[in-house]
Amino acid sequence: MKTFTQNLLCALVLCTTITNAQTVVDTYGNLTVNGNRVTSETGEEISLAGMSLFWSIAGDVTNFYNAQTVNHLADDWKISVIRAAMGVNESWDGGNGYADGAVGRQYNLDRVEPIIQAAIDKGIYVIVDWHSHDAENYLTEAKEFFGYISDKYGDNDHILYEIYNEPINQSWADIKTYAEEVIAVIRANDPDNLIIVGTPFYSQRVDQASQNPITAYSNIAYTLHFYAASHTGDGPGSLRDNARKAMSTTDGYNGIALFVTEWGTVEASGNGGFNETESNTWINFMKDNGISHANWTVGDKNESSCVVNNGMGVTGLVNGQLTPSGVYVRGKILEQAVTLSIEDLTLAGKEVKVYPVPFKDTLKISSTIHIDSVVLTDMSGKEVFAKETNEMNPSITIPDLVTGNYILSIISNGEMANTVITKIK
Ligand code: MG
C-alpha cells in the first residue's frame, strides 16, 4: 500500500485524470436484457427513473408534447427516460388518434417526433408507446408506425419501442401473436434496441407472459403497470407477487425482464388520493429488482396523477407549480438520478469509471483492468479507507464515513489515478 505522500506525488507527477460530462445514454448505451433484468449495454444493473407524458390525443394537454417539456424534465428533474404515450384510436378534447386517417397520423407524429428528437438531443431514453387497449385491432397501423420509427431512429440507442400499452381482456397468446408481427417489422430495421411488450389485464399479469415468453426475437422486456394506492400488498395475486413470479425461473416461469413504463402514486383511475407510503414501497421494490420506471403523468388535467397544477401548462411545469404527487415524484427521481453521475479516469492507458459521484453508501469502480487497491484519504492527508482487491469492478461500501470531500486513489500494477470525490448523506 502506498502512503499518502506517494499518492500525492503520483497525483502531481505521473497520473492523468480526466473528467467527462456524459449523458445517460452515453453512459449506459443500448439497453440490453440479461436474464430477468434490463441492464446497460455492458450488463450493469440499472433502474432508470423518468416520466410518461399524458395521452397524445387529449387535445387539452398535448401542449406538453414539445422540447421545452423534455429539456426541463431532463435538466431540473434529472429524468433518464421520457415516454411519449401515443393514442391510437381514442380521441377527446379536440385531439386525433393515430389511426384517424392521414390527419390523425400527422397530428400524432407532430407531437411524438419532437419528443424523440429532444430526448436524443438531451441524451436520455425515450419510450415510443403505442398507447392502446386493443392494439390487435390496429395491427396494420402499428406495423406502419413502428416500421417508420425504427427506420428513421433505430440507430439511436435512445429509442425504446413499447408496442402495446395495456391489453385488457386479451389472452397472452393473442397478445404474443400481435407482438411477434410488430417485432418482425422493427427487427428488419433495427436489430438491437429494447422492445417492451404489454401483458394481460392492464399490463398487470407479467406472470402469464413469463410462462410462455417470446423466444423468436431477442432483447424483449415486458410491461408491468401499477397504481400505488390501488395495488398494495405482497400476498398471492398481488402485483408484486406477479412480478416476483415473472422474474423467477421455477414452477414454469422463465425469468423475464420487466419495465414499468407507467406507474402512479394514486388510484388506478389516475385519480384519488396520492399515497406516499405505498409509493415508497413500490419504488424500493423497483430499485431492489433493477426495474426501470416512468411515472404517469406529465400533464395539468384535473387528475391527481398529473404532476402540474390544473390548467398551468408547460409554464407551470417550468415554474414548479406542481401537485403533491408532482413534488413527491420529482424528489424520488432526483434521488435516483445520483447514480447517473459518472467520473472517467485514465489508468494505465485504460478508462476507469467511478460512480456514483457524489456517492452515499457505496462507490463503484468499473474498468477493463485489474484494480489492486482503492484508497480514500481525507483532505488533511489522513488515510480513512483502504481495500485490496483483485477485481476489474470493485465496489466499496462505507455508510459510516463522514460526509465531505475525499481523494480517491485507484491503483493498478504500480500505476495510480486520483480524483476528489464527495460523500453525501
Ligand atoms: Mg439499434
Side-chain angles (χ1 to χ4, degrees), residues 30 153-157 161 189-193:
N30 194 52
Y153 299 104
D155 289 342
N156 298 282
D157 291 341
Y161 307 98
N189 294 326
D190 178 354
D192 54 2
N193 283 40

Side-chain angles (χ1 to χ4, degrees), residues 47-87:
S47 172
L48 304 179
M51 289 302 304
S52 176
L53 291 157
F54 201 82
W55 295 75
S56 68
I57 47 77
D60 55 344
V61 286
T62 57
N63 55 339
F64 283 91
Y65 273 79
N66 60 36
Q68 191 186 9
T69 299
V70 175
N71 292 344
H72 179 77
L73 291 170
D75 292 338
D76 183 67
W77 292 42
K78 306 293 182 198
I79 62 166
S80 49
V81 58
I82 184 83
R83 178 184 191 232
M86 194 188 73

Side-chain angles (χ1 to χ4, degrees), residues 313-371:
V314 180
T315 307
L317 174 68
V318 171
N319 291 335
Q321 293 169 306
L322 305 179
T323 63
S325 182
V327 170
Y328 169 83
V329 170
R330 177 176 176 273
K332 286 294 167 186
I333 293 173
L334 280 169
E335 265 180 37
Q336 258 185 271
V338 170
T339 59
L340 297 175
S341 302
I342 293 190
E343 182 141 349
D344 274 351
L345 309 177
T346 302
L347 179 57
K350 304 284 187 191
E351 184 183 55
V352 177
K353 293 182 176 188
V354 176
Y355 62 95
V357 282
F359 74 104
K360 285 179 185 168
D361 297 343
T362 300
L363 184 67
K364 296 181 180 181
I365 296 164
S366 167
S367 69
T368 55
I369 53 175
H370 283 277
I371 305 295

